[in-house]
Amino acid sequence: INHLFFVFAGNEGSNVDVTPAYPAAYDLPNIISVAAIDNDDQLASFSNYGAASVDLAAPGVNIYSTIPNAKFGYLTGTSMASPHVTGVVALLQSRFPSLSSNNIKSRMLGTTRAVPSLAGKCATGGVLYAQAALQPTAPPDPTGACCMVGGTSCQVVTQAQCNAGSGVYRGDGTQCSVGTCQSAPPTGACCVGG
């Protein structure tokens, strides 16, 4: 199935790896779960997080948006962060119409901008980075990159994040490290640490 679903992580300030919140905690290869950051690149105090269940973060504090009665106002929440990801995916599909949903997800997660406050809080340890995602070349092949392993899905993080000791962890709690690629992982190219 060539579909992606972009879901908000939730607004309880909880670790959804420990206390699951749905749909963010579903371990499915076609979900991108989004946390919220503020304008200082800090995880928003209300945002749910989870190194295995949440993929990346996007702006979600004081977002100018539509409100009832044909008006505009400032809103806050992970539901304000998720549309940023949806917008970048629309741009990707427009620029690269032949990309599969797996390619789009890999590109989105492989081009995040590392943010120290997100280390160990989401799978990529980074924030949505539209400019990098829209570059004509694909992100580096994840061969040798480190990954998160959570249940049946794998989520690629960049080699630079791994080398920088970003504090990214696998689903089993062990720290991410350089590994070797599986031949046919469930969500495209993926590496598991050794």
Side-chain angles (χ1 to χ4, degrees), residues 64-160:
Y64 198 60
S65 185
T66 55
I67 58 175
N69 301 316
K71 295 183 181 181
F72 293 90
Y74 290 94
L75 298 172
T76 293
T78 55
S79 59
M80 293 288 100
S82 296
H84 286 86
V85 176
T86 304
V88 172
V89 169
L91 291 170
L92 278 169
Q93 287 183 316
S94 174
R95 184 158 184 185
F96 308 108
S98 64
L99 288 179
S100 70
S101 60
N102 285 342
N103 294 140
I104 289 171
K105 183 174 180 177
S106 292
R107 188 178 281 259
M108 296 287 292
L109 300 183
T111 57
T112 58
R113 180 175 50 84
V115 174
S117 69
L118 296 175
K121 301 289 184 178
C122 66
T124 62
V127 65
L128 178 68
Y129 189 17
Q131 181 180 2
L134 291 165
Q135 293 303 307
T137 56
D141 184 326
T143 302
C146 53
C147 290
M148 297 269 314
V149 178
T152 60
S153 70
C154 299
Q155 299 157 334
V156 176
V157 296
T158 66
Q159 184 69 50

Side-chain angles (χ1 to χ4, degrees), residues 9-16 35-50 57-62 76-78 81 117-118 121:
N11 299 320
E12 294 79 33
S14 299
N15 182 342
V16 294
I37 58 163
D38 63 20
N39 62 338
D40 292 319
D41 273 349
Q42 299 298 309
L43 181 68
S45 61
F46 58 82
S47 181
N48 285 356
Y49 57 93
V61 177
N62 294 324
T76 293
T78 55
S117 69
L118 296 175
K121 301 289 184 178

